[in-house]
Amino acid sequence: MTAFFVVLLPVLITLGFWQVSRGAEKRTLEMNYLQQLTRLPVGAADINPNQAFQRVRLQGQFSDQYFLLDNQVSKGVTGYWLVQVFDDISGRRFLTNRGFLAAPSRRELFPQVETPDGELKLV
């Protein structure tokens, strides 16, 4: 029992310090996210690839390409997250999360996806 205690105690203490450092990393990420929310959105040409959580201002239209992320639950309802390609006027393409779609009652059916026509402005 003593040998077990001698081996396990340092492991548990190390894991405890690891959890504390992970908590500090999460707090730093959260502060960065909240700081970015207060900034004005940038245009597609001004995106900094090294900066996380940037607000982006896009102008263009949705393409016909979309993806349905299956087996998702939102507010107790089973369904799909709709991720669609957005073509910006700058020529760049972006994946946008268009929200949640409830699943039809039968699994072999997919939900109807309606894509807005014309030029749109997104933030």
Side-chain angles (χ1 to χ4, degrees), residues 63-113:
S63 84
D64 293 332
Q65 293 178 304
Y66 65 87
F67 306 94
L68 295 172
L69 298 180
D70 196 5
N71 294 328
Q72 305 298 311
V73 178
S74 177
K75 299 178 184 172
V77 177
T78 304
Y80 306 87
W81 284 107
L82 173 61
V83 178
Q84 191 162 11
V85 176
F86 188 83
D87 296 320
D88 190 67
I89 59 172
S90 68
R92 295 178 72 181
R93 304 182 90 191
F94 296 88
L95 288 177
T96 58
N97 183 346
R98 292 208 34 223
F100 185 79
L101 298 172
S105 59
R106 295 178 34 202
R107 274 304 269 177
E108 62 271 6
L109 300 176
F110 290 107
Q112 294 293 327
V113 176

Side-chain angles (χ1 to χ4, degrees), residues 6-26:
V6 168
V7 170
L8 199 59
L9 183 64
V11 170
L12 292 176
I13 289 173
T14 303
L15 287 174
F17 281 115
W18 175 74
Q19 285 285 17
V20 169
S21 69
R22 287 278 295 158
E25 288 175 25
K26 299 278 183 171

